[in-house]
Amino acid sequence: MNSIKIAVIGLGYVGLPLAVEFAKKYAVVGFDIKRERIGELREGHDATLEVSCEELQSVLCKGNPTAGEKSTGLFVTAESADLSAANCYIVTVPTPTDKNNRPVLTPLVKASETIGRVLKPGDLVIYESTVYPGATEEDCVPVLERVSGLTFNRDFFAGYSPERINPGDKEHTVTKIKKVTSGSTPEAAKRVDDLYRSIIVAGTHLASSIRVAEAAKVIENSQRDINIAFVNELAMIFNRMGIDTHEVLAAAGTKWNFLPFRPGLVGGHCIGVDPYYLAQKAQEYGYHPEIILAGRRLNDNMGKYIASEVIKLMIAADHKIKGAKVLMLGVTFKENCPDIRNTRAVDIVCELQQYGVEVEIHDPWANPAEVMHEYSLHSLPELNGNRYEAVILAVAHDAFSALDIRSFCSGSRSIIYDVKGVLPMEQVDGRL
């Protein structure tokens, strides 16, 4: 195992924590196409906050350990030539969807081309990015063969070990989550499993094939998506009945096998995306998935539903809607995390703007420049003393628990809407 030299392709929420853990035992080079990202990492700072400054600095190397005699450490780079000395490549790039919810494999293809240019006989390529069953061997491996000129399962081998990173979660970190592993041959599968087992204290589960491992990953988040869609639908039903959904869930939760899902917005890089990957592949096999896509449609429309509920409450309180000022607290896709990828909180803003409402956003975790770049929305770095006809708690950051939300209201008729159901009932006018 000491002869293993690892290259991690993609240093985001998934790749960096993995590279840091491997760098404690192996020589690792981390590659990312974003030079700004490489610059901040070389300074010992991770903007995603998944790795602490101290932990990152403890493994950083100024020189490339895979190219020398140094047996451990992490060197980060934006130069693909620095990957040439590695013999095990791990791909952790994003797998998004386009505006029509179709899988976008471009990052995977580009990463495979980058690896193909330095691939050598005996090398191992492991993919962690979420894909549909078959993508590794049908979409990625042919790129590796074409660019490298090598033959799959003779000259080089592949594996798949799906990422299970939960952004912002400091309890279930990369080494504490059981890892599914797989390989393109029995021997490759053992290499992959042994490699991950050397750092994953929670252990590994060796799947029988790459396709099984791919399928396992894509259904993990699809299952969660469907369950959240169910409670979101319950929330819409119970709101019409005048019944508090969270009280219903608390009562039902007294049964030992009741699943504790809560209503809310479903975004991020996994739950809001993965079901579309499975649906795409299912349709290629002539099957139109009913439940999976129904759950996606419902969850994708929750932002519009919340906005309409806020508007109804404002009308009932005799507020003029056009030109009304609304404050939305939170824009990241989940609490206590700076990740704004595929956040559905912006759907609330966009829908309110359709009514002529003026929305101001404040999120202490989100980078205002990133919010502007990704969504063309202005985010206040600090609350400025303005008063609003409505305040929406969209993300339950711990930092918001200390706020007197009523103090941001323009008067006693102002509306407070709690998307997350974390505020006391007597303090809010509506909640999901």
Side-chain angles (χ1 to χ4, degrees):
M1 296 290 283
N2 289 334
S3 63
I4 293 176
K5 297 182 177 182
I6 299 171
V8 176
I9 317 300
L11 297 177
Y13 284 85
V14 175
L16 182 66
L18 187 69
V20 168
E21 289 301 328
F22 273 126
K24 297 173 184 178
K25 288 194 174 184
Y26 305 102
V28 180
V29 56
F31 173 82
D32 200 288
I33 61 173
K34 297 178 181 177
R35 294 185 180 275
E36 183 180 352
R37 174 70 169 159
I38 296 301
E40 75 178 24
L41 292 178
R42 286 181 175 175
E43 294 295 321
H45 174 65
D46 171 27
T48 71
L49 305 181
E50 290 300 303
V51 178
S52 68
C53 295
E54 295 76 18
E55 188 175 21
L56 178 56
Q57 290 170 0
S58 70
V59 297
L60 279 179
C61 297
K62 292 185 178 179
N64 188 346
T66 66
E69 299 300 321
K70 189 173 174 59
S71 59
T72 63
L74 171 64
F75 175 72
V76 296
T77 181
E79 305 298 332
S80 59
D82 291 326
L83 303 172
S84 59
N87 52 31
C88 177
Y89 299 89
I90 303 177
V91 179
T92 60
V93 298
T95 45
T97 55
D98 64 16
K99 63 180 181 180
N100 296 312
N101 296 319
R102 293 173 300 195
V104 176
L105 297 183
T106 304
L108 272 181
V109 171
K110 294 294 185 184
S112 299
E113 289 174 344
T114 297
I115 294 169
R117 287 190 282 269
V118 294
L119 200 62
K120 305 172 296 300
D123 285 356
L124 176 66
V125 184
I126 305 169
Y127 292 87
E128 287 212 2
S129 306
T130 300
V131 292
Y132 46 71
T136 298
E137 292 160 300
E138 296 169 11
D139 297 294
C140 299
V141 165
V143 176
L144 295 172
E145 287 189 307
R146 173 175 57 81
V147 177
S148 70
L150 302 177
T151 300
F152 179 49
N153 280 340
R154 186 192 70 186
D155 301 321
F156 73 92
F157 304 88
Y160 183 77
S161 181
E163 60 90 0
R164 280 177 166 170
I165 292 292
N166 186 25
D169 189 339
K170 302 308 178 186
E171 179 182 354
H172 302 96
T173 51
V174 61
T175 63
K176 299 176 183 177
I177 304 172
K178 196 162 190 173
K179 203 83 162 68
V180 174
T181 61
S182 63
S184 56
T185 66
E187 294 77 17
K190 186 177 187 306
R191 285 175 65 184
V192 174
D193 194 65
D194 287 347
L195 178 65
Y196 282 102
R197 189 176 290 273
S198 70
I199 66 163
I200 305 296
V201 297
T204 61
H205 174 90
L206 179 57
S208 61
S209 69
I210 287 177
R211 288 166 63 88
V212 167
E214 292 169 327
K217 168 58 179 176
V218 82
I219 71 164
E220 289 174 15
N221 290 316
S222 297
Q223 181 189 67
R224 186 168 176 80
D225 190 44
I226 292 166
N227 280 315
I228 296 173
F230 172 62
V231 294
N232 275 337
E233 188 165 61
L234 292 180
M236 291 189 282
I237 294 170
F238 292 145
N239 282 347
R240 287 176 176 239
M241 295 180 176
I243 301 173
D244 183 74
T245 305
H246 294 271
E247 292 184 2
V248 174
L249 294 174
T254 59
K255 189 180 180 186
W256 77 93
N257 61 352
F258 185 81
L259 300 178
F261 288 92
R262 295 164 66 88
L265 300 168
V266 184
H269 70 299
C270 284
I271 300 178
V273 172
D274 296 359
Y276 289 122
Y277 275 75
L278 182 56
Q280 168 78 16
K281 202 62 177 178
Q283 290 169 4
E284 290 179 11
Y285 279 79
Y287 181 80
H288 181 77
E290 301 285 350
I291 296 175
I292 293 171
L293 291 180
R296 271 288 76 228
R297 284 193 298 271
L298 196 147
N299 284 340
D300 276 348
N301 284 313
M302 288 309 293
K304 291 183 178 180
Y305 172 77
I306 291 166
S308 70
E309 290 296 292
V310 172
I311 293 296
K312 290 176 186 177
L313 290 168
M314 293 175 68
I315 291 173
D318 292 327
H319 285 291
K320 180 183 177 182
I321 300 303
K322 187 174 182 179
K325 295 186 181 299
V326 172
L327 171 65
M328 192 174 79
L329 295 172
V331 74
T332 62
F333 93 89
K334 65 179 293 188
E335 65 275 3
N336 306 320
C337 171
D339 195 350
I340 63 169
R341 290 175 297 173
N342 195 36
T343 176
R344 308 317 303 185
V346 299
D347 296 346
I348 302 174
V349 178
C350 295
E351 186 67 13
L352 287 173
Q353 289 175 337
Q354 294 294 312
Y355 287 94
V357 172
E358 297 178 12
V359 184
E360 291 189 349
I361 302 168
H362 171 64
D363 192 320
W365 282 85
N367 184 325
E370 290 184 6
V371 175
M372 176 58 70
H373 179 265
E374 291 295 326
Y375 303 107
S376 300
L377 294 173
H378 177 65
S379 178
L380 299 172
E382 300 288 343
L383 292 168
N384 54 17
N386 285 349
R387 296 294 180 265
Y388 306 89
E389 281 72 60
V391 180
I392 302 171
L393 179 65
V395 186
H397 294 312
D398 289 346
F400 292 151
S401 63
L403 294 178
D404 178 8
I405 294 180
R406 183 59 67 178
S407 68
F408 304 122
C409 296
S410 60
S412 60
R413 293 186 298 113
S414 293
I415 300 301
I416 295 178
Y417 191 91
D418 181 9
V419 173
K420 300 296 292 184
V422 295
L423 298 175
M425 272 295 292
E426 62 272 14
Q427 294 182 14
V428 303
D429 301 283
R431 67 178 181 176
L432 191 58

